[in-house]
Amino acid sequence: MTMINKLRDFIPHSAKKKLQVTLIQANQLTAGWRVLPDFLIIGAMKAGTSSLYQYLTEHPCVMRAIRKEIHFFNSHFSNGVHWYRTHFPIEMYKALVQKIHQQNCVTGEASPNYIADPLVPERVKQIIPQVKLIVLLRNPIDRAYSHYNMAVRQGFETLSFEQALEIEPERLASASMQNKIVNSDGFYSTLGIYLDQLNNWLKIFPREQFLFIKSEDFYTDPANTLTQVFRFLDLPDFRLTHYKVYHKGEYTDMSAATKARLVAYFDPHNRRLEEKLGIKFNW
């Protein structure tokens, strides 16, 4: 782990947010000289995006954005590209790093709600058409339960998991698109129907611009997954000494009856996904 990333782990969240805002404001003056991202981690939520981004930025040729989740293409698009550039390195600095390492260097961000917003693919195509897209997909049952428990911890959810699943169609019917995508708590099973979300992307971007990763493979063998990502980004392999798990929640097991119900619910959606991508997830 680099010294900068070590220091980030000890900075309180509130102080980190204030520092980010200060840096973004300061970077307004140099925004025209700053690069746009080479890669986006577009999702899925609660599928390991935080850990993957942290690991990627340990590579000497991967430069961090000011913050991992910028949400420009869904929440802040009205701020304009000038504002988006403030989050990324100056072009001359990127060129210097590349010269030092004699290697291509990249920068990017990870906003896991991008995958679900139907407006985002066209916006990305308009601004960074050659960007590389990384997609982490987790067993939708585990993803839904992890998402639910995070919402409970943060005080956004008061119902039991079973009750929340029961009223999810009602929540969907009454929520605005902004709430469905950005304030996604309450939509635990819906966000696990991955193909419905990915179709919006696959219509616009060629398959070679995507790297699909099974989250369970990433969790069990992060080193091998990173090798795949570095290869996708045209970077030399790099091994970390430690793979800390970021934002891991602790909670009780799901009931067997609820799990069986969700297995039956997701099975046809998972099969459609496997057929479309040509990947066996075996969830």
Side-chain angles (χ1 to χ4, degrees), residues 44-45 112-113 115-118 137-145 147-148 161 164-177 179-198 200 261-262 265-266 269-270 272-273 283:
M45 187 177 180
N113 283 340
I115 188 176
D117 191 328
L137 299 175
R138 182 182 183 183
N139 184 321
I141 299 172
D142 298 331
R143 195 223 68 81
Y145 197 46
H147 186 176
Y148 163 79
F161 185 49
L165 291 174
E166 194 68 33
I167 71 162
E168 187 167 333
E170 183 180 329
R171 283 174 165 173
L172 280 167
S174 62
S176 67
M177 177 58 71
N179 283 335
K180 289 177 185 178
I181 303 305
V182 179
N183 305 312
S184 54
D185 298 316
F187 312 125
Y188 310 117
S189 62
T190 303
L191 290 178
I193 304 175
Y194 299 128
L195 186 57
D196 288 355
Q197 303 162 54
L198 284 171
N200 294 316
R261 170 188 166 190
L262 288 174
Y265 174 78
F266 281 118
H269 299 299
N270 292 342
R272 287 193 303 121
L273 178 70
W283 287 323

Side-chain angles (χ1 to χ4, degrees), residues 39-218:
F39 70 89
L40 298 176
I41 302 175
I42 63 172
M45 187 177 180
K46 304 307 295 178
T49 60
S50 292
S51 292
L52 180 60
Y53 189 75
Q54 294 293 337
Y55 300 164
L56 283 179
T57 58
E58 297 289 345
H59 195 292
C61 286
V62 179
M63 293 172 285
R64 295 184 67 100
I66 285 179
R67 55 188 176 207
K68 172 219 167 196
E69 298 185 22
I70 301 176
H71 295 290
F72 169 66
F73 290 103
N74 54 0
S75 301
H76 304 295
F77 196 66
S78 62
N79 289 349
V81 179
H82 186 89
W83 178 88
Y84 192 41
R85 286 181 182 273
T86 64
H87 295 76
F88 298 103
I90 289 178
E91 188 172 353
M92 288 181 62
Y93 175 70
K94 182 180 180 182
L96 176 62
V97 174
Q98 291 182 152
K99 185 174 181 179
I100 290 171
H101 293 285
Q102 293 295 298
Q103 174 63 47
N104 175 52
C105 292
V106 299
T107 187
E109 59 133 328
S111 296
N113 283 340
Y114 282 167
I115 188 176
D117 191 328
L119 298 178
V120 168
E122 280 284 3
R123 291 172 174 177
V124 173
K125 185 72 171 181
Q126 172 190 340
I127 293 170
I128 39 175
Q130 302 304 317
V131 71
K132 296 192 174 183
L133 304 165
I134 300 170
V135 190
L136 279 159
L137 299 175
R138 182 182 183 183
N139 184 321
I141 299 172
D142 298 331
R143 195 223 68 81
Y145 197 46
S146 176
H147 186 176
Y148 163 79
N149 279 283
M150 180 184 73
V152 170
R153 288 194 304 272
Q154 295 178 344
F156 298 128
E157 183 62 81
T158 58
L159 301 177
S160 70
F161 185 49
E162 290 73 17
Q163 290 171 328
L165 291 174
E166 194 68 33
I167 71 162
E168 187 167 333
E170 183 180 329
R171 283 174 165 173
L172 280 167
S174 62
S176 67
M177 177 58 71
Q178 183 75 358
N179 283 335
K180 289 177 185 178
I181 303 305
V182 179
N183 305 312
S184 54
D185 298 316
F187 312 125
Y188 310 117
S189 62
T190 303
L191 290 178
I193 304 175
Y194 299 128
L195 186 57
D196 288 355
Q197 303 162 54
L198 284 171
N199 275 333
N200 294 316
W201 291 87
L202 292 166
K203 291 174 188 174
I204 295 173
F205 289 94
R207 177 62 183 272
E208 57 265 24
Q209 283 183 234
F210 292 90
L211 176 64
F212 296 102
I213 299 169
K214 182 180 175 181
S215 295
E216 292 76 15
D217 293 341
F218 174 50

